[in-house]
Amino acid sequence: MQKNVSFYRVIYGDTDQMGVVYYANYLRWFEMGRTELLRQIGTPYSEVERRGFYFPVSEVSCRYLRSARFDDEISVETTLQALGRATLVFAYRITRKDDGLLLVEGWTRHACLDAKGKVVKIARELERILKKALAD
Amino acid sequence: MQKNVSFYRVIYGDTDQMGVVYYANYLRWFEMGRTELLRQIGTPYSEVERRGFYFPVSEVSCRYLRSARFDDEISVETTLQALGRATLVFAYRITRKDDGLLLVEGWTRHACLDAKGKVVKIARELERILKKALAD
Amino acid sequence: MQKNVSFYRVIYGDTDQMGVVYYANYLRWFEMGRTELLRQIGTPYSEVERRGFYFPVSEVSCRYLRSARFDDEISVETTLQALGRATLVFAYRITRKDDGLLLVEGWTRHACLDAKGKVVKIARELERILKKALAD
Amino acid sequence: MQKNVSFYRVIYGDTDQMGVVYYANYLRWFEMGRTELLRQIGTPYSEVERRGFYFPVSEVSCRYLRSARFDDEISVETTLQALGRATLVFAYRITRKDDGLLLVEGWTRHACLDAKGKVVKIARELERILKKALAD
């Protein structure tokens, strides 16, 4: 399975008054991770959209084990977990880069839609590339 | 079971270039919902914190059925779903106020921590109020 | 001059680890304010866009006098300050609803664009309504 | 004058339904820029806070010339522009990395506060480092 590893430095604007990252913001880093994975396997998401396909999130699950803090460098590991006719599932592990401590893990399920918002089968060529990312 | 219903008008800043609300932003409205439920049953979260307790999110699950759009008025229904010795679970339903269409549903699990970040039993009086909210 | 007054309750997600609202988030409330002013004078921004006009922000200025905190109810007062052939200026005052304390004041300048992103003269009928809002 | 240059890749969550970055989000990148400048000159902001000083934003000004879009790599250039007894001014230029096109420019003014929120003179040693960053 192909894996992308991306990095991000936590800013003040990501934190809340508990002194840690606000829980919704990890979902932004999930997005960063899957965008970089798609780029890595040769199908940038901007390209996917140019061809008239959209992968909106239909479900998200996220477990918060430890907190990221201001100025932490985090590492986001993303893999393609499953591939259906018109769905994709990505899995994520966010760790603190420093010591590799696992902070958050989760997954997102996506539908494949066309420009009109109709569920459609993932395009043949794109499917081939995604299958390869699953198998590699 | 006590239920809180809160309202919010979607702003431009909540949307993304797909023309709908960005998936992470619904978690902000989950937070709004549980904060208002806690206020409604008589234990505002600001009060909870003043007494030295914190309810950080330990897990979130969210299903996106339909999209909220700019200027939509949405309705967030929140209930307390479960109550453990040191955990709480809230459930949410976000609907479009106009026509009641269900957009998003989900839940969050929370730990009960003290000011030092240690898991602690929920304070007796607070537990009594929360139990009542479950039962009512 | 017509004035809109809108209200918002600060959530945890708006704050940062200094225990106060993160400075960028006030600009979200400026947006809420001008959207509600446009609705109040009879030209909802969603309507403006449906007619093919866009008012992107070309400049913002904001002074932070005091901090909004979690659970504060804030009041956003918005006025249309100036109106050019293809520009608008809105002014904002954000106060704490409780005691009327001024927290933040600022303004935004907007261009009027068509769907292709070209600067265009504000449509006659819209201009008439906006002029009235300036004069009233 | 010392200058920091930092980079960021625009995510979907930064955009709005106009298909460009939402205006408030550039202020997050201003923060990234000044945090990296402080690190570069040898006084990481986390260190500043550990010593009991805080630099909250007291004023921001921002001009939006062109729009950043999803997947754009942007470059944030930050300089320390002015230094008073208890104030700092940072200036920012955000360009598209690809072609160097200027997108946004602005500045932020900051107060120097102690842990109790009182305006205080910037600590001697920190002042020396900041003066050097101004002069270099």
Side-chain angles (χ1 to χ4, degrees):
Chain A
M1 203 164 19
Q2 282 232 21
K3 179 167 80 175
N4 174 267
V5 185
S6 292
F7 301 101
Y8 178 81
R9 170 87 75 166
V10 176
I11 68 168
Y12 226 88
D14 296 320
T15 64
D16 66 25
Q17 72 172 25
M18 224 180 272
V20 297
V21 169
Y22 185 63
Y23 82 128
N25 292 332
Y26 294 92
L27 274 60
R28 292 173 52 91
W29 305 333
F30 286 180
E31 188 222 316
M32 181 186 74
R34 66 183 173 261
T35 301
E36 294 307 324
L37 176 62
L38 287 174
R39 190 190 323 283
Q40 178 178 305
I41 63 175
T43 56
Y45 186 67
S46 50
E47 188 62 29
V48 171
E49 284 203 348
R50 255 192 298 276
R51 293 182 192 187
F53 295 98
Y54 298 83
F55 296 162
V57 180
S58 59
E59 192 170 354
V60 64
S61 172
C62 183
R63 291 201 312 138
Y64 304 88
L65 307 171
R66 283 173 192 86
S67 296
R69 292 175 179 275
F70 169 64
D71 227 31
D72 280 353
E73 272 195 283
I74 57 155
S75 157
V76 183
E77 298 174 20
T78 309
T79 50
L80 181 62
Q81 209 64 359
L83 181 65
R85 278 173 52 91
T87 62
L88 305 95
V89 178
F90 294 96
Y92 314 90
R93 283 170 49 91
I94 295 181
T95 56
R96 199 160 56 195
K97 197 185 158 198
D98 236 29
D99 57 6
L101 196 69
L102 180 62
L103 305 176
V104 161
E105 53 186 7
W107 53 264
T108 52
R109 183 187 308 277
H110 301 253
C112 181
L113 303 186
D114 65 14
K116 287 171 181 161
K118 232 189 76 191
V119 175
V120 290
K121 208 175 156 309
I122 293 168
R124 182 82 45 112
E125 193 195 332
L126 182 54
E127 195 192 20
R128 193 187 50 78
I129 293 172
L130 293 170
K131 270 192 178 153
K132 200 166 167 309
L134 258 178
D136 275 1
Chain B
M1 203 164 17
Q2 282 233 20
K3 179 168 81 174
N4 174 267
V5 185
S6 292
F7 302 101
Y8 177 80
R9 170 88 74 166
V10 176
I11 68 168
Y12 225 89
D14 297 320
T15 64
D16 65 25
Q17 72 173 25
M18 225 181 271
V20 297
V21 168
Y22 185 64
Y23 81 128
N25 292 331
Y26 294 92
L27 274 60
R28 293 172 52 91
W29 306 334
F30 286 179
E31 187 221 316
M32 181 187 74
R34 65 182 173 261
T35 301
E36 294 307 323
L37 176 63
L38 287 174
R39 190 191 323 283
Q40 178 178 303
I41 64 176
T43 56
Y45 185 67
S46 50
E47 189 62 28
V48 171
E49 284 202 349
R50 255 191 299 275
R51 294 181 192 187
F53 296 98
Y54 298 83
F55 297 160
V57 180
S58 59
E59 191 172 354
V60 64
S61 173
C62 184
R63 292 202 311 138
Y64 304 89
L65 307 170
R66 283 175 194 85
S67 297
R69 292 175 180 275
F70 170 63
D71 228 30
D72 279 354
E73 273 195 282
I74 57 154
S75 157
V76 183
E77 298 175 20
T78 309
T79 51
L80 181 61
Q81 208 65 355
L83 181 65
R85 278 173 54 90
T87 61
L88 306 94
V89 178
F90 293 97
Y92 314 90
R93 284 169 48 91
I94 297 182
T95 56
R96 197 160 59 195
K97 196 184 159 200
D98 234 30
D99 55 9
L101 196 68
L102 180 62
L103 305 176
V104 161
E105 51 185 10
W107 53 265
T108 52
R109 184 186 308 277
H110 301 252
C112 182
L113 303 185
D114 65 14
K116 287 170 182 162
K118 232 189 74 191
V119 175
V120 290
K121 208 174 155 311
I122 294 168
R124 182 81 45 113
E125 193 194 334
L126 181 54
E127 194 192 21
R128 193 187 48 77
I129 293 173
L130 291 170
K131 270 194 178 151
K132 200 166 168 307
L134 257 179
D136 276 0
Chain C
M1 202 162 21
Q2 282 232 21
K3 180 167 82 176
N4 175 267
V5 185
S6 291
F7 301 101
Y8 178 81
R9 170 86 76 168
V10 176
I11 69 168
Y12 226 88
D14 297 320
T15 65
D16 65 26
Q17 72 173 26
M18 225 181 272
V20 296
V21 168
Y22 184 63
Y23 82 128
N25 292 332
Y26 294 92
L27 273 61
R28 293 173 52 92
W29 305 334
F30 286 180
E31 188 222 316
M32 180 187 75
R34 66 181 174 262
T35 300
E36 293 308 322
L37 176 62
L38 286 174
R39 191 191 323 282
Q40 178 178 305
I41 64 175
T43 56
Y45 185 68
S46 50
E47 188 62 30
V48 170
E49 284 203 348
R50 255 191 298 276
R51 292 180 192 189
F53 295 98
Y54 298 83
F55 296 161
V57 180
S58 59
E59 193 172 353
V60 65
S61 172
C62 184
R63 291 202 310 138
Y64 304 88
L65 307 170
R66 284 174 192 84
S67 297
R69 291 175 180 277
F70 169 63
D71 227 30
D72 280 353
E73 272 195 284
I74 57 154
S75 157
V76 183
E77 298 174 20
T78 310
T79 51
L80 180 62
Q81 209 65 356
L83 182 65
R85 278 172 53 92
T87 62
L88 305 95
V89 178
F90 293 96
Y92 313 90
R93 283 169 49 91
I94 296 181
T95 57
R96 197 160 58 196
K97 197 184 157 198
D98 235 29
D99 56 8
L101 197 69
L102 180 62
L103 304 175
V104 161
E105 51 186 7
W107 53 264
T108 52
R109 184 188 306 278
H110 301 253
C112 181
L113 302 185
D114 65 14
K116 287 170 182 161
K118 232 189 76 191
V119 176
V120 291
K121 208 175 155 310
I122 294 167
R124 184 79 47 108
E125 193 194 333
L126 182 53
E127 194 192 23
R128 193 185 50 76
I129 292 173
L130 292 170
K131 270 193 178 151
K132 201 167 167 307
L134 258 178
D136 274 2
Chain D
M1 203 163 19
Q2 282 231 22
K3 180 167 81 175
N4 174 267
V5 185
S6 291
F7 301 101
Y8 178 80
R9 171 86 74 167
V10 176
I11 68 168
Y12 226 88
D14 297 320
T15 64
D16 66 25
Q17 72 172 26
M18 224 181 271
V20 296
V21 168
Y22 185 63
Y23 82 127
N25 292 333
Y26 294 92
L27 274 59
R28 292 173 52 92
W29 305 334
F30 286 179
E31 187 222 317
M32 180 188 74
R34 65 181 175 263
T35 301
E36 294 307 324
L37 176 62
L38 287 173
R39 190 190 323 281
Q40 178 178 303
I41 64 175
T43 55
Y45 185 67
S46 50
E47 188 62 29
V48 171
E49 285 203 348
R50 256 191 298 275
R51 293 182 192 187
F53 295 97
Y54 298 84
F55 297 161
V57 181
S58 59
E59 191 171 354
V60 64
S61 172
C62 183
R63 290 200 312 136
Y64 304 88
L65 307 170
R66 283 174 193 85
S67 297
R69 291 174 181 277
F70 169 64
D71 227 29
D72 279 353
E73 271 195 283
I74 57 154
S75 158
V76 183
E77 298 174 20
T78 310
T79 52
L80 181 61
Q81 207 66 355
L83 182 65
R85 278 173 53 90
T87 60
L88 306 95
V89 178
F90 294 97
Y92 314 89
R93 284 169 50 90
I94 297 181
T95 56
R96 197 161 58 194
K97 196 184 159 200
D98 234 31
D99 56 6
L101 196 69
L102 180 62
L103 305 176
V104 161
E105 51 185 9
W107 53 264
T108 52
R109 184 187 307 278
H110 302 253
C112 181
L113 303 186
D114 66 12
K116 286 169 182 163
K118 232 190 75 191
V119 176
V120 291
K121 208 173 156 313
I122 293 168
R124 182 79 47 110
E125 193 195 333
L126 182 53
E127 195 192 20
R128 192 186 50 75
I129 293 172
L130 292 171
K131 271 194 177 149
K132 199 165 167 309
L134 257 179
D136 276 1

